[in-house]
């Protein structure tokens, strides 16, 4: 069985978490910062937990949670753009990162369902 650290989606989500932390480092809105950080961390941690859950069914469950957290991060990034926490370009780049992770999660779910 593969270690979660070897999964590209986990590696990419780890990078996304770092980018989210950088984005929020200058923002003083604790509530916003906390929410987007927790959502991004959820992506990374649910991939790890699912990988080590012991069954494909449980892994898929955790991956679905991670995928939903990608959507939460994307939604929060629209708000970040609207309330001027970041530029439109920064928000779009981060949304694209989240979209790519989400697509990778979808592919892994599909693989696990069909293997």
């Amino acid at each position: 069985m593969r270690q979660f650290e070897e999964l590209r989606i986990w590696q990419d989500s780890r990078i996304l978490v770092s980018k989210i932390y950088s984005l929020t480092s200058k923002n003083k809105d604790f509530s916003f910062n906390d929410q987007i950080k927790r959502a991004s961390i959820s992506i990374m941690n649910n991939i790890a937990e699912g990988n080590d859950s012991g069954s494909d069914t449980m892994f898929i469950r955790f991956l679905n949670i991670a995928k939903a957290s990608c959507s939460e991060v994307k939604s929060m990034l629209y708000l970040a753009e609207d309330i001027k926490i970041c530029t439109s370009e920064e928000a779009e780049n981060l949304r694209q990162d989240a979209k790519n992770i989400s697509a990778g999660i979808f592919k892994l779910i599909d693989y696990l369902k069909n293997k």
Side-chain angles (χ1 to χ4, degrees):
M1 179 169 236
R2 173 178 273 203
Q3 299 297 311
F4 69 83
E5 296 94 341
E6 297 173 28
L7 294 170
R8 181 60 186 226
I9 55 173
W10 182 86
Q11 295 167 2
D12 290 346
S13 63
R14 181 180 176 195
I15 293 166
L16 179 62
V17 170
S18 294
K19 290 178 179 181
I20 294 297
Y21 268 75
S22 292
L23 172 74
T24 59
S25 66
K26 298 174 194 157
N27 182 33
K28 296 188 189 298
D29 183 340
F30 173 79
S31 181
F32 176 89
N33 292 348
D34 185 54
Q35 187 68 28
I36 197 168
K37 285 176 182 177
R38 285 187 297 115
S40 66
I41 292 166
S42 174
I43 301 165
M44 184 176 142
N45 285 346
N46 276 292
I47 293 166
E49 288 180 67
N51 186 76
D52 291 347
S53 66
S55 75
D56 288 348
T57 301
M58 287 298 293
F59 194 8
I60 290 168
R61 181 175 168 267
F62 279 100
L63 289 171
N64 278 313
I65 295 167
K67 195 169 181 315
S69 292
C70 284
S71 293
E72 183 178 358
V73 169
K74 289 188 295 185
S75 179
M76 293 288 297
L77 287 165
Y78 282 104
L79 179 58
E81 182 180 353
D82 293 345
I83 62 176
K84 309 294 186 229
I85 291 172
C86 63
T87 67
S88 295
E89 183 180 345
E90 290 170 320
E92 182 52 38
N93 288 339
L94 290 168
R95 281 192 297 267
Q96 190 58 54
D97 290 344
K99 287 176 191 176
N100 291 341
I101 293 166
S102 184
I105 292 170
F106 178 81
K107 287 178 186 174
L108 181 53
I109 290 170
D110 191 51
Y111 168 77
L112 292 169
K113 284 181 177 179
N114 295 307
K115 78 173 193 174

